[in-house]
Amino acid sequence: MNLKSCLACLFLFGTTHNFAQTEASDSLTLVQAFVNLSITAEYIDSIGDKRLVKILSYEENELNSITDTNLVSTAKHLYNTAHAYLFFAKTALDVRTHTNADQSTLINWKNTLDTGIRFFNAASLRKHFQLYYDTSKSVETFDLFVGLNPERVGGFSGTINRFKSKLNRKFNDNIYPHFIRQYRAVTLTGEFNFDSLKYYTALFNMPLTDAILKNEWEGYVPVLSKLDKFLIRQSYDLDRELQLLSRYMQLYYLSGGKAKTGITIRNKENLYQSFEALEWDIESYLRNGEATEFFKGEISDSTLKILYKKLQQRYPYQLKQLSNPKHMALPKMVPPGNRKYFFPEPAPFPSAALYVQNFLPAQKTMKQVDQVIVNIFNSAGYNNQLHYYYVGTGFAVTTSLEKIDDNGAPVSGSKRFHVSEVGNESFSFYQVFKSIFFETKSSFRIFAFVVSPGQVSVQSKPTSISGMQDLISNSHPTLPADLENLQFTPKWLSAFVYHFVQSDIGEVPMLKTKNALPVETHLRQSKLEKLIGR
């Protein structure tokens, strides 16, 4: 930054923020440090280690040299954000220069990054930008000059959250052996030291509940907190497998003969609700294919049956007495053959719609209609990407969420369906949401086709990508057997396209309704035009 630019910064800083009483040198130091550190954080992967060390050392000294408390208070959004950039970059540099990190090193990384996160949150950027939103004014000229705007803030918070996720994996890997050691102790000797587990999770600020030991009920439904680009959560997530192991160990310990004196099971309903919740969650976890070989080898249907038998021997209780489903972590599993999934009527509001009268007149039954549809989809690359539903009369089918180009053509290769690879399992929505969150300027699409005696109406408000993903997650993998021989004339095809556009990292994809491509274009670009006979 040359002298002329510096003076311009100083002028803007003084006139816009009314810093008449601040030290000019401190104002200039803060401006230059903020700009340099923001650029450093943005391009950190392309800066060499030695160069990065010099930059960070210099800018840290510059920030430490600021003594004007009035400046720090009045420009806290700038001062604190500059420090957030600094401590993030310091952590990133330390991580990439260490191949094998011991526990103390991991804790140092966490503490350094936590310092940056505290500075970021202390910047109160939501409040700062809200001043302009509330008064319908544009972002302040000075902020534009130094590059402080909601978009860059969102990009930076997304960077920190992705970096946190990488560290989170390392933290869980580090404490995993301690959980295994406790598991061996409780299953072989009956001894269980929950405080030891608590100690190791506390090192990395990971929540771990002892509700089962306390004979309390605590639901285990994963909560997807709303992403906030102006506020970064400082806690870390305990790996799902470790959570399950902890809950299993607590129940196993209570079922054995060496439970600590003073533990009293006053509420057997809570105890058995905890067991049922654990049983369901383990089943879901194993079904998703995420478990380690250790977990799969140690915990199965047979070990859960043994645990249940041990609990019954010590705390006799009729499981059928459980009558409060709101406490359950997840609904009791219903056999797939007894469950019906329905497509909404009216249909979710689409980006574009098309209706075909007298659809496939040569095909009489729904099974014959479906065979034609499946063949067309498979030839266009949609193998194993269809999801079926009941409607009043007929059936509906949707495609998995796929990534597309702006012109409606599917992207090539494995990236096409990569956000849908987790399938229809219980936690697929979380996986899909996480995958989409890290996309930049991307488009996604879902097709929906309804075969019925008449055209299908649509809802009045645009649908959300979360609503459509929830619909996909509650579907049948093939045409339900009881619909195969269904016949009616005439048949209508109601074709809907749900085209979502994500503008930047961390932004929620929005349904494209303005200047949306017609259904015919989407079908042609996807090689599905035969569906409508064109």
Side-chain angles (χ1 to χ4, degrees), residues 295-335:
F295 192 92
K296 289 186 289 187
E298 293 290 332
I299 300 180
S300 61
D301 287 341
S302 60
T303 55
L304 288 171
K305 288 178 181 177
I306 293 173
L307 175 58
Y308 176 69
K309 184 177 181 180
K310 287 167 65 69
L311 287 170
Q312 282 290 337
Q313 289 173 346
R314 189 162 190 181
Y315 314 104
Y317 190 77
Q318 293 300 315
L319 200 61
K320 64 181 180 181
Q321 292 179 10
L322 298 182
S323 59
N324 196 352
K326 72 178 182 179
H327 290 306
M328 293 304 299
L330 290 170
K332 187 71 174 178
M333 177 176 284
V334 177

Side-chain angles (χ1 to χ4, degrees), residues 85-128:
Y85 282 125
L86 171 67
F87 285 98
F88 160 72
K90 290 178 67 173
T91 312
L93 173 63
D94 209 13
V95 170
R96 81 184 193 188
T97 53
H98 285 77
T99 53
N100 297 311
D102 57 17
Q103 189 172 86
S104 62
T105 301
L106 292 175
I107 293 173
N108 286 336
W109 291 349
K110 174 191 169 296
N111 292 339
T112 305
L113 184 62
D114 282 353
T115 301
I117 294 174
R118 283 195 294 272
F119 273 113
F120 182 88
N121 293 337
S124 302
L125 292 170
R126 175 182 296 283
K127 181 178 181 181
H128 174 71

Side-chain angles (χ1 to χ4, degrees), residues 152-164:
R152 290 196 70 194
V153 167
F156 180 47
S157 66
T159 297
I160 292 181
N161 279 317
R162 291 194 299 275
F163 189 73
K164 271 189 67 183

Side-chain angles (χ1 to χ4, degrees), residues 12-20 74-75 77 128 132 140 142-143:
L12 284 169
F13 214 76
T15 56
T16 305
H17 293 278
N18 192 25
F19 293 153
T74 311
H77 61 290
H128 174 71
Y132 310 119
E140 198 170 331
F142 173 76
D143 288 345

Side-chain angles (χ1 to χ4, degrees), residues 359-377:
F359 177 63
L360 295 178
Q363 279 66 42
K364 303 301 182 183
T365 67
M366 293 303 101
K367 181 177 181 179
Q368 293 171 339
V369 172
D370 180 51
Q371 287 175 340
V372 173
I373 291 175
V374 169
N375 289 337
I376 293 174
F377 271 111

